[in-house]
Amino acid sequence: MTDFTNSQIIDFIYAEARMLDEGRYDEWLALWLEDGHYWMPLDYQQDDPHLTTSLMYEDMFMLKLRVRRLNGARTYSQKPKSRCSHVIQRPFIDLLDNTAGLYQTNTSMHYVETRLDDQILLALTATHDLKRVDGKLRIANKRVDLLNCDAAFGNIQLLP
Amino acid sequence: MDGDAGGMTVTKADNQARADAAYIAQLIQPHQVHRDVYTSQTVFDLEMQHLFTNVWVFVGHDSQTPKHGDYFTTQIGTQPVIQVRHSDGQIKVLHNRCPHKGTKIAIDRTGNTGTFFRCPYHAWSFETDGALKAVPLDRGYENTGFRTTANAGGIKPVGSVHTHRGFVFARLAETGISFDDFFQDSLSSLDNMVDRSPEGQLEIAGPPLRYMHKCNWKMLVENQTDTCHPMVAHQSSAGTAVRIWEELGNPEPKPAAMQIIAPFMSPYEFFEDMGIRTWPNGHGHTGVSHSIHSDYSAIPGYFEAMSAAYGEARAKDILDENRHNTIYFPNIMVKGPIQQLRNFIPLGPDKTLVESYIYRLVGAPDELLARTAMYNRMINAPTSIVGHDDLEMYERAQEGLLSDGLEWVNLQRLFPGTAEDFSTETVENGTTERQMRNQFDAWKTFMTTSMPDRKDGKR
C-alpha cells in the first residue's frame, strides 16, 4: 500500500492544473474515477447539486463530451480556440487518511481565460476529493466555487 | 407639455415624435427588417420609451415573495423595479427609486423589508405599496408646497400589475391594452406548465442562471422559434454526444443527459412536422404536435399523482401537450414541459442579460425538478456547451450587422409572398419564420401606439 505525503498530494493538484492549461485533456480525464462529478455551484455556499441550478454538475459522459467538442471541426465557438491559465496557491490538505486512501484538498486559484480580444479573470476555490486506487491518486469529485458565482458571465468555455 | 399635481412631465416636441413614428414604420417590412432594429441606440431608446412601456412585461413569480415584506428587484426594460408582497397579500410592483433624491430603495436581489421600506439616505419611509409613511423632521416641509407634489405620493407604482397563476406581469404605462387582450389564448402555455403540478402550483427553485450576451435582445427572442439552427449550430455538442453514445454501442435506457441533448440533432423533417403556432400581439410557440421534450422517460409516481388530482383522461391531456418554446412577446420564453422561463432583459442595443429560471411542480416527485435543473445547466448556463455556440452566433451577427454590404435582415422562410394577417391564431410548418415576422408586426404596433401620426394606419 502506498502512503502519500503532503508533498505528493500537492504535486498532484499542480499537475492537474497544468494539464488543463496545456489542453492535455486525455491525460486529465484519466485522472478521474468513473463515477466522479465536476461541480461548479451557481449559488454561494450551495449545498445541493440536484434540485437547484448549478453552473456545472457533470459526470464522466458530460466531461468527455465537453473536451471532445473542444476539438470538433464544427465547434464554432472554438474557432479560434480559447486559452486558459490557472495561478494556484499552495493547496491546504484538509484530509490525509492513508489507511482509508482518502484525501481532500482546498486550493485557491486565479483563473484566466482568453479568446480573441476578450479575457476574463475568475477567483475560485477548488475542493478535490481524491482516492487512492491501485497505488495511484485519482479524482473522486471536484468542486469549483467561483468567488462571484452569482454574477452575470459571458461564455466560460474551458475548465476553471 | 402635460401637467400633473405640482410636477411636469417633459415631452418631446410633436415634430420629433412624428419623425420617430415615421422612422420606426420604415424599419419593418413584411418579409425583412432593417438592421437598425438590432444596432441603433436611437431604436433601443425608443423601445424602452414606448415598447417596454406599452406592453405587459414579465416581472417575477409570486413564490419569490411569499410573505409580507418579501421583495425581489428586477427590471422592466431598463427600468429598475421592486416586486413586493404588501400587507394585504397582494403583489405590488414599484419603481425602485426614492421619490426624494432617486436613491434605489433596494439593491439586493431578494430580501425582506419588514413592514415598511426605509430609504438608506434620509430615512424617508414607505408602506409596502409605496405610500409615503413618514419623513424625518417633517416640519421642514411645512408651507413649502411639498405635499402637493408627485414626490409626496411615495414610491411610484408601475401603471398596472396582473398575476396569472403565479406569474407576475406589469405594464409601465398607466393606460393601454389590458392583460387579457394582450395575451389572449397564448396563456394556454403558461396554464399547461402550471397544470403539470398535481396541486396546480409552481414554486421557484433557487436563483436563475445569469448569462451576459453582447447582442441585441431580439436576436435571442427570435432564436427561440428558429428551428433551422439546432442541427447546425449545435452539431458540435449534440452531434458529438450522439457519436460518443454510438461508440458506446447505444446502450439503453439513455441517461437523462442524453435524453436532453440528443433531440437537438433531430433532422429538419422533425422540426417541420412539429409545427409553429402564432397568436396575435407577437406571441407564439414551436412544438404544436410534438417537440424535443416529447420523449423524456416517465418518472415513477408522477402520472399516478396527476391522475389522482385531475382524473386519468385530463392528466393525459395535460402531459400529452409537449410545447417546445413559447414566446410571450416581447421578451420571455417559457418551456412548459420542463418548467423553465428565460427572461431576455435588454440593457443596450448590443447588450442583453439572460436570466433562466426553473420551477418546482408542487406535489410532483423530485426527479422532475432534477431533470429541469439538469436541462438548465446543460443548455442555458454561461458554462453550457450548447449556449456557447448560440452566443457565438449572436455576437457574430451583432458584429456582422455593422457591415454596410446589406442593410436588411431576411425573415422570408415560408413567407406567403404578401403581407400576412397576424390577428388570428395560426398553425404552420414548424420551420416557418412567421413567428419572427409576428414579433416584428407586434413590435411596430406597440412601438408606435404612443406616438402621434402612426404610419401603419392601425391607430
Side-chain angles (χ1 to χ4, degrees):
Chain A
M1 217 153 54
T2 325
D3 278 358
F4 288 107
T5 63
N6 278 15
S7 170
Q8 285 172 310
I9 291 164
I10 290 169
D11 284 350
F12 179 90
I13 300 298
Y14 273 86
E16 188 226 349
R18 186 173 175 185
M19 285 177 198
L20 291 173
D21 289 350
E22 295 178 355
R24 292 185 279 125
Y25 293 115
D26 290 341
E27 281 173 74
W28 181 74
L29 287 171
L31 299 178
W32 284 78
L33 293 176
E34 260 318 300
D35 56 354
H37 283 84
Y38 182 117
W39 183 21
M40 188 190 290
L42 170 65
D43 204 7
Y44 182 64
Q45 296 181 338
Q46 185 175 332
D47 57 13
D48 172 25
H50 298 292
L51 299 183
T52 179
T53 307
S54 296
L55 288 160
M56 289 174 64
Y57 184 68
E58 301 202 344
D59 61 10
M60 284 311 288
F61 173 74
M62 285 301 298
L63 288 174
K64 281 176 190 161
L65 168 56
R66 178 177 287 275
V67 304
R68 175 96 73 96
R69 173 185 168 277
L70 290 173
N71 291 317
R74 289 181 175 165
T75 304
Y76 304 109
S77 79
Q78 283 297 296
K79 292 180 177 299
K81 287 189 182 302
S82 304
R83 295 189 288 267
C84 73
S85 168
H86 292 78
V87 177
I88 85 175
Q89 178 175 287
R90 184 177 188 275
F92 294 104
I93 298 182
D94 289 344
L95 173 72
L96 190 150
D97 183 345
N98 274 316
T99 311
L102 296 175
Y103 314 88
Q104 189 180 65
T105 61
N106 172 291
T107 314
S108 294
M109 308 189 191
H110 284 184
Y111 172 79
V112 176
E113 186 177 301
T114 184
R115 180 172 177 256
L116 293 167
D117 290 335
D118 290 330
Q119 180 166 291
I120 56 167
L121 169 66
L122 299 171
L124 62 93
T125 302
T127 308
H128 287 77
D129 286 314
L130 306 177
K131 259 189 198 172
R132 184 185 56 217
V133 177
D134 298 333
K136 284 185 178 165
L137 284 174
R138 303 285 296 277
I139 302 174
N141 283 298
K142 177 176 177 178
R143 170 178 172 142
V144 173
D145 285 283
L146 302 183
L147 190 61
N148 62 341
C149 54
D150 49 0
F153 300 109
N155 277 349
I156 302 170
Q157 295 208 53
L158 301 181
L159 286 157
Chain B
M1 293 205 186
D2 300 326
D4 63 14
M8 298 290 265
T9 303
V10 179
T11 56
K12 282 185 181 176
D14 263 6
N15 57 353
Q16 179 60 50
R18 283 198 189 90
D20 289 343
Y23 171 53
I24 292 301
Q26 282 176 53
L27 299 176
I28 310 299
Q29 295 183 0
H31 65 292
Q32 62 181 3
V33 295
H34 193 269
R35 62 159 172 192
D36 279 8
V37 303
Y38 304 101
T39 59
S40 155
Q41 182 70 48
T42 301
V43 171
F44 182 83
D45 292 344
L46 290 170
E47 286 180 332
M48 297 305 110
Q49 189 188 343
H50 295 280
L51 176 65
F52 279 81
T53 301
N54 292 331
V55 301
W56 289 87
V57 180
F58 172 74
V59 179
H61 192 264
D62 70 356
S63 65
Q64 290 173 268
T65 52
K67 297 189 301 292
H68 179 213
D70 284 348
Y71 65 85
F72 157 65
T73 61
T74 182
Q75 290 182 203
I76 297 175
T78 48
Q79 294 294 300
V81 297
I82 310 173
Q83 170 186 314
V84 59
R85 181 79 65 166
H86 188 45
S87 52
D88 64 1
Q90 297 296 304
I91 299 270
K92 304 291 178 183
V93 180
L94 310 173
H95 288 275
N96 192 356
R97 174 212 197 275
C98 180
H100 180 206
K101 293 282 204 174
T103 310
K104 275 186 169 180
I105 296 296
I107 60 161
D108 38 1
R109 291 190 189 115
T110 59
N112 183 291
T113 192
T115 56
F116 62 94
F117 285 112
R118 181 176 184 272
C119 180
Y121 196 176
H122 300 95
W124 290 25
S125 59
F126 310 91
E127 309 290 351
T128 45
D129 62 356
L132 183 64
K133 191 175 158 76
V135 174
L137 201 64
D138 68 345
R139 64 175 182 271
Y141 290 100
E142 281 169 21
N143 304 316
T144 62
F146 169 69
R147 293 289 163 199
T148 65
T149 66
N151 306 57
I155 309 173
K156 197 175 178 218
V158 299
S160 195
V161 177
H162 188 101
T163 301
H164 181 81
R165 304 198 66 181
F167 290 89
V168 181
F169 291 82
R171 189 188 65 216
L172 290 174
E174 297 287 337
T175 57
I177 191 167
S178 72
F179 181 86
D180 289 336
D181 286 347
F182 184 62
F183 287 117
Q184 303 181 24
D185 291 338
S186 71
L187 292 171
S188 55
S189 286
L190 272 180
D191 290 342
N192 178 260
M193 178 155 77
V194 181
D195 288 343
R196 285 167 173 268
S197 153
E199 297 178 23
Q201 200 184 336
L202 300 185
E203 204 172 71
I204 188 98
L209 287 163
R210 304 177 69 241
Y211 196 173
M212 195 65 81
H213 285 54
K214 287 189 282 187
C215 70
N216 189 270
W217 64 275
K218 294 187 290 302
M219 289 184 185
L220 279 140
V221 179
E222 283 168 43
N223 193 59
Q224 307 308 309
T225 63
D226 182 323
T227 51
C228 287
H229 88 282
M231 67 296 284
V232 182
H234 302 309
Q235 185 184 344
S236 74
S237 49
T240 306
V242 170
R243 217 160 51 243
I244 293 176
W245 204 248
E246 278 168 6
E247 288 165 14
L248 295 171
N250 288 319
E252 291 286 343
K254 285 195 182 73
M258 271 301 284
Q259 291 182 27
I260 285 169
I261 203 166
F264 281 69
M265 280 311 282
S266 302
Y268 287 113
E269 295 71 31
F270 175 91
F271 290 101
E272 286 193 296
D273 292 345
M274 81 185 207
I276 283 183
R277 177 182 279 125
T278 62
W279 291 288
N281 297 325
H283 316 301
H285 79 93
T286 47
V288 178
S289 59
H290 61 273
S291 78
I292 64 167
H293 306 308
S294 296
D295 289 331
Y296 295 163
S297 56
I299 301 293
Y302 178 47
F303 187 71
E304 290 76 357
M306 287 290 286
S307 295
Y310 294 101
E312 203 173 309
R314 171 81 182 121
K316 195 167 176 312
D317 279 351
I318 292 167
L319 299 177
D320 278 352
E321 195 72 58
N322 274 298
R323 296 181 186 184
H324 173 218
N325 293 342
T326 298
I327 296 295
Y328 287 103
F329 183 80
N331 69 325
I332 63 166
M333 183 276 276
V334 163
K335 280 183 178 295
I338 49 167
Q339 301 84 52
Q340 297 197 355
L341 185 149
R342 303 187 77 200
N343 190 7
F344 308 109
I345 302 173
L347 302 180
D350 55 1
K351 197 170 181 191
T352 305
L353 173 61
V354 185
E355 294 192 334
S356 298
Y357 287 93
I358 60 171
Y359 304 96
R360 185 169 78 86
L361 295 169
V362 177
D366 277 349
E367 288 88 336
L368 283 136
L369 179 55
R371 181 158 64 199
T372 289
M374 175 185 275
Y375 190 101
N376 209 26
R377 65 177 181 261
M378 277 179 64
I379 311 297
N380 299 329
T383 37
S384 159
I385 58 177
V386 174
H388 291 160
D389 285 313
D390 280 323
L391 179 55
E392 177 74 12
M393 298 309 132
Y394 305 140
E395 292 185 349
R396 286 192 194 196
Q398 193 71 35
E399 291 179 22
L401 286 174
L402 297 178
S403 158
D404 293 332
L406 286 170
E407 289 187 38
W408 295 86
V409 171
N410 189 276
L411 298 172
Q412 221 160 348
R413 180 175 285 281
L414 296 175
F415 176 66
T418 54
E420 291 156 289
D421 175 10
F422 297 106
S423 67
T424 54
E425 181 181 322
T426 305
V427 173
E428 292 189 3
N429 179 306
T431 59
T432 184
E433 288 174 344
R434 175 182 164 91
Q435 170 54 19
M436 301 175 203
R437 299 189 290 269
N438 185 29
Q439 285 158 203
F440 278 110
D441 182 72
W443 186 88
K444 188 160 80 171
T445 300
F446 292 105
M447 280 290 273
T448 53
T449 301
S450 43
M451 293 176 182
D453 290 353
R454 287 177 48 166
K455 301 297 178 199
D456 61 1
K458 281 195 181 172
R459 191 162 201 172

